[in-house]
Amino acid sequence: MSVAEVVARGAALGVRVTISDHISREAPTTVDSVAAIEHYLDDLNQYDVLRGGEFCWHDALWRELPPALLRRFTHRVGSLHAVRLLNGSYFRAFSQVMPADLPPHVYMEAHVASLEALAGEMPVDVLAHPTLVPPPLRTIHPHELWTEALEERAVHALVVGGQAFEISNRYPPHERLVRRAADAGVRLSLGSDGHAREQVANIAAPLALARRIGVSDDALYDPARHGSRTGAYTE
Ligand SMILES: [Zn+2]
């Protein structure tokens, strides 16, 4: 979709739009270098949109952006598209097959340890889809994957790190974890995580979840009101 089409779609749904394209050296995104990011932001400047971007924690590109470039974003999102295993290697969160030496509880330990590392070192405003796990694990009930101790660690990391918790429409988090985050004072962020036309700007389910657990609309993360770690709204 063009930016103009996304804006029109947001207007039709009553949603103020943030564009948060993937920014990574890895395919399939083409926003994969400082020059490409400058071009991306120049493009967004022509529209009435918030200028976001979704950065992979495991890809060092985010570490190499000059401050002046960071300030051109309104806010930024960080993601665990791969988690770091105990041996130091990275395991992709979209892997279709889980190796025998990576049972669910070992994977989840790596997931939460990676989440803690991201929260501690990545100056982003939102943690995207905190519960994204590889497809083979998605059939397991989240209360089996996530012990309450793991949830406590994840929430504590976000409290200290200052990132908001995204309620993703694409990878919906389970309610117990969202409630735990909100109760601890972590801001919630609503994300369509739209990868297809019909998904773009659709935040109905994330909004319903936030309201169901009693978070007021005013308390949801809004970079224009709550600022940004490094972006245009820093002040
Ligand atoms: Zn993502």
Side-chain angles (χ1 to χ4, degrees):
M1 296 172 77
S2 67
V3 177
E5 287 176 306
V6 175
V7 170
R9 165 92 174 152
L13 294 177
V15 171
R16 179 168 50 115
V17 169
T18 290
I19 305 289
S20 293
D21 213 336
H22 288 285
I23 298 177
S24 170
R25 287 210 182 84
E26 297 177 13
T29 185
T30 55
V31 190
D32 56 2
S33 66
V34 167
I37 294 169
E38 285 172 346
H39 180 75
Y40 165 74
L41 292 167
D42 288 345
D43 197 22
L44 296 190
N45 262 337
Q46 302 169 52
Y47 301 91
D48 182 20
V49 294
L50 299 185
R51 300 178 301 281
E54 180 179 352
F55 294 81
C56 301
W57 170 68
H58 72 282
D59 173 352
L61 179 59
W62 65 266
R63 300 177 190 269
E64 298 161 19
L65 305 187
L69 184 60
L70 294 183
R71 284 193 293 275
R72 296 190 59 195
F73 289 90
T74 52
H75 61 296
R76 299 187 304 139
V77 177
S79 293
L80 290 174
H81 293 134
V83 302
R84 189 164 57 207
L85 303 180
L86 277 178
N87 65 11
S89 68
Y90 288 87
F91 187 81
R92 307 192 67 79
F94 299 100
S95 303
Q96 295 291 338
V97 175
M98 300 300 287
D101 60 354
L102 197 55
H105 72 280
V106 175
Y107 182 86
M108 289 306 297
E109 170 61 33
H111 177 89
V112 172
S114 297
L115 189 158
E116 289 172 324
L118 182 160
E121 68 183 16
M122 203 173 183
V124 292
D125 304 291
V126 180
L127 172 62
H129 44 64
T131 58
L132 169 70
V133 293
L137 301 186
R138 295 177 198 166
T139 56
I140 302 174
H141 193 282
H143 291 184
E144 273 182 52
L145 279 183
W146 287 84
T147 64
E148 296 211 38
L150 287 177
E151 291 185 357
E152 284 290 344
R153 282 173 54 191
V155 167
H156 178 72
L158 295 177
V159 168
V160 174
Q163 293 87 359
F165 180 115
E166 184 202 28
I167 306 179
S168 163
N169 192 50
R170 186 175 175 84
Y171 304 109
H174 55 290
E175 187 168 324
R176 187 178 74 183
L177 177 57
V178 181
R179 195 180 289 277
R180 193 183 298 274
D183 287 349
V186 175
R187 281 201 193 282
L188 303 180
S189 171
L190 308 183
S192 68
D193 209 345
H195 285 61
R197 189 172 293 267
E198 66 277 8
Q199 298 167 344
V200 163
N202 181 359
I203 54 164
L207 179 60
L209 173 54
R211 287 177 172 165
R212 190 159 70 240
I213 66 172
V215 174
S216 74
D217 294 2
D218 282 350
L220 297 170
Y221 176 63
D222 176 353
R225 285 189 295 136
H226 303 125
S228 162
R229 308 279 290 278
T230 53
Y233 290 115
T234 306
E235 240 92 72

